[in-house]
Amino acid sequence: MLKTHFFNYQKGPFIISVLFDFLGNGIFNVDGESWKFQRQVSSHEFNTKSLRKFVQTVVDTELHDRLIPMFSDAASDKTVLDLQDILQRFAFDNVCKIAFGFDPGCLLPSLPQAQFAEAFEDAIYLSSERFRAFLTIAWKIKRFFNIGSEKRLKIAVSQVRDFAKKIVREKKQELADKSSLESVDLLSRFLSSGHSDENFATDIAISFILAGRDSTSAALTWFFWLIHKNPEVEKEILKEIKEKSNMPVFEEVKDMVYTHASLCECMRLYPPVPVDSKLAMDDDVLPDGTVVKKGTIVTYHPYAMGRMEKVWGSDWAEFKPQRWLERDEAGKWSFVGRDPYTYPVFQAGPRICLGKEMAFLQMKRVVAGVLRRFKVVPAVEDVFQPELVVYLTSKMKGGFNIRVEERGELD
């Protein structure tokens, strides 16, 4: 599905139609030549050192100017925070700056309800509800008559796309007024490299915001819960943070192999995108002999794959970062990755996630920045048992209420 017969398993008209109002012809909602073109353009930009540096600067600014002070205030005032909401706001601010060069300010101390952020959240939820409709015709009828959830979706999508197009127009004018490119956000890069069609730029920017907003925040929400439940893992991470604390930022996160392994193990159990479906364009036979007829929707489940005993062993249910590590002769940990077809958390094959390294950079900076100073504990420690819910990405049902405690000096 993801490699050898990649072109036989595509998004297909059903999935594209469900998400089209929201994502348009963005990279996550197209097949064939349109996908190939966007992939090539995006791949070039994602591989530039200047973009990686820009991402690092954006993340560190949001971390030190907003997230850390918010945690510090919560620790002093003994207030309860919904960590899932806080991390979504953090990620949304970051990805809007990276994609648009625009700061929505979602993580300002007042936790404002930004219209663009709220509309984006509504568009995600209501679009995903279309997949759950008992009959496809049901949501199409509601859309035709502009009633119920489809009326709300139309309003949300209109707000998202109108705002995105406004940013695109302003960026185009900014670039036209200046002889050299000063902005290094993705939108400016696309526009300045000749891809100036308004709809193209809008679609691709919205797709990247979707990818960057929910994936890292979902992973980090589950991560902080898992390390609370596994204090021996938290202890090892703190040891690593202390060892790397005097290194430059990029070198610090690059060398945090135990933290990297812990994040991989978290996403094995709770992948941000727990399920993915494709449409068979022609008859096919899977490697195990299963016959797939043309027009069949085929789904693979990273969530289920991460819990298979024959892949991960009899201890699959345990949170064990060590399964991703091995020690060298000097006793130093080194990371041992799994092939992306065993562990398709970041997809695999031609559609493998372009932002993987940037996602790990952001997640490890948050982990190091937060755990260096704070201990994160569930507001209701003994009875809290999170429940997974799935929209376009996985989340904790009802959020994750926490208290923050100052750690003091690392032991």
Side-chain angles (χ1 to χ4, degrees):
M1 282 178 66
L2 300 182
K3 185 179 181 181
T4 55
H5 289 197
F6 171 75
F7 287 105
N8 190 48
Y9 294 96
Q10 302 194 5
K11 295 286 183 179
F14 170 71
I15 293 173
I16 290 173
S17 69
V18 168
L19 297 175
F20 183 80
D21 289 338
F22 180 32
L23 297 181
N25 290 310
I27 191 170
F28 300 128
N29 204 42
V30 289
D31 293 314
E33 289 304 313
S34 179
W35 168 80
K36 190 175 181 181
F37 171 71
Q38 291 188 54
R39 176 78 183 192
Q40 288 172 341
V41 172
S42 304
S43 182
H44 171 74
E45 298 300 344
F46 269 81
N47 285 322
T48 59
K49 288 184 179 179
S50 59
L51 181 63
R52 288 197 292 271
K53 180 66 176 176
F54 177 58
V55 171
Q56 178 184 309
T57 301
V58 166
V59 171
D60 281 351
T61 300
E62 186 79 4
L63 178 67
H64 293 295
D65 291 356
R66 290 179 182 170
L67 187 63
I68 297 298
M70 180 166 289
F71 274 31
S72 181
D73 290 344
S76 299
D77 300 339
K78 296 181 169 50
T79 54
V80 172
L81 298 175
D82 177 356
L83 184 61
Q84 180 165 260
D85 177 59
I86 296 298
L87 291 172
Q88 281 179 349
R89 290 170 177 270
F90 175 84
F92 196 73
D93 280 355
N94 282 331
V95 76
C96 284
K97 290 183 214 172
I98 293 163
F100 280 156
F102 164 75
D103 179 9
C106 293
L107 201 58
L108 289 170
S110 62
L111 297 179
Q113 298 300 316
Q115 185 187 60
F116 181 58
E118 285 191 327
F120 207 93
E121 174 73 16
D122 289 344
I124 291 172
Y125 172 73
L126 294 167
S127 293
S128 67
E129 285 296 292
R130 286 179 170 181
F131 287 110
R132 294 177 175 80
F134 182 68
L135 295 172
T136 301
I137 194 67
W139 66 261
K140 289 186 175 181
I141 290 172
K142 287 197 289 184
R143 183 176 65 176
F144 180 81
F145 288 105
N146 194 30
I147 58 173
S149 59
E150 287 297 313
K151 181 178 181 178
R152 301 200 310 275
L153 177 60
K154 184 178 180 180
I155 293 170
V157 166
S158 177
Q159 289 173 339
V160 168
R161 299 192 71 82
D162 286 351
F163 183 83
K165 286 183 178 182
K166 176 174 174 286
I167 295 288
V168 169
R169 293 185 194 112
E170 289 173 355
K171 280 288 176 192
K172 289 172 78 171
Q173 187 61 50
E174 177 188 325
L175 293 168
D177 292 343
K178 296 179 180 177
S179 57
S180 61
L181 175 67
E182 295 180 8
S183 301
V184 287
D185 56 86
L186 276 169
L187 178 59
S188 295
R189 290 166 181 271
F190 286 129
L191 293 173
S192 64
S193 60
H195 307 291
S196 58
D197 179 79
E198 186 175 286
N199 287 324
F200 170 83
T202 300
D203 288 346
I204 204 164
I206 288 172
S207 289
F208 282 129
I209 290 175
L210 174 66
R213 173 189 180 272
D214 280 354
S215 53
T216 54
S217 61
L220 285 169
T221 301
W222 290 102
F223 174 83
F224 280 106
W225 176 70
L226 283 167
I227 63 165
H228 171 74
K229 298 288 286 184
N230 296 270
E232 72 286 353
V233 173
E234 184 176 25
K235 186 176 179 181
E236 284 294 319
I237 294 172
L238 290 171
K239 180 181 173 183
E240 185 172 65
I241 291 171
K242 185 179 180 182
E243 290 173 354
K244 311 297 182 188
S245 60
N246 293 323
M247 301 176 77
V249 168
F250 185 74
E251 292 299 318
E252 177 191 39
V253 297
K254 187 174 72 173
D255 287 348
M256 291 174 66
V257 291
Y258 191 89
T259 304
H260 192 97
S262 302
L263 287 163
C264 288
E265 181 71 348
C266 166
M267 290 185 287
R268 174 183 71 84
L269 292 167
Y270 298 101
V273 182
V275 60
D276 189 24
S277 298
K278 312 286 186 187
L279 180 74
M281 307 309 290
D282 288 300
D283 293 349
D284 196 11
V285 180
L286 300 182
D288 67 352
T290 301
V291 174
V292 178
K293 292 295 185 182
K294 177 181 178 180
T296 302
I297 292 178
V298 184
T299 300
Y300 69 95
H301 292 253
Y303 180 88
M305 292 170 70
R307 294 159 183 264
M308 292 173 66
E309 184 172 336
K310 70 178 181 180
V311 176
W312 302 100
S314 59
D315 61 351
W316 65 265
E318 298 177 34
F319 179 62
K320 290 178 63 175
Q322 293 91 325
R323 73 176 83 242
W324 299 85
L325 299 165
E326 63 181 19
R327 289 192 186 274
D328 59 20
E329 293 180 357
K332 184 180 177 182
W333 286 120
S334 61
F335 182 76
V336 182
R338 297 291 186 113
D339 75 84
Y341 305 99
T342 300
Y343 180 74
V345 167
F346 291 94
Q347 278 258 9
R351 278 192 185 262
I352 195 165
C353 177
L354 288 169
K356 177 181 176 181
E357 297 309 316
M358 292 183 192
F360 274 115
L361 168 67
Q362 178 171 321
M363 290 189 290
K364 286 193 278 189
R365 289 300 296 139
V366 170
V367 170
V370 169
L371 292 185
R372 182 181 281 118
R373 284 193 53 185
F374 306 106
K375 186 175 181 62
V376 175
V377 297
V380 186
E381 289 192 58
D382 297 332
V383 297
F384 178 71
Q385 187 62 38
E387 181 180 342
L388 179 82
V389 290
V390 179
Y391 300 126
L392 296 182
T393 54
S394 61
K395 295 187 178 183
M396 275 191 194
K397 186 176 182 179
F400 181 26
N401 288 334
I402 59 144
R403 295 187 186 277
V404 181
E405 300 172 2
E406 288 275 4
R407 193 180 292 283
E409 292 297 318
L410 290 178
D411 296 328

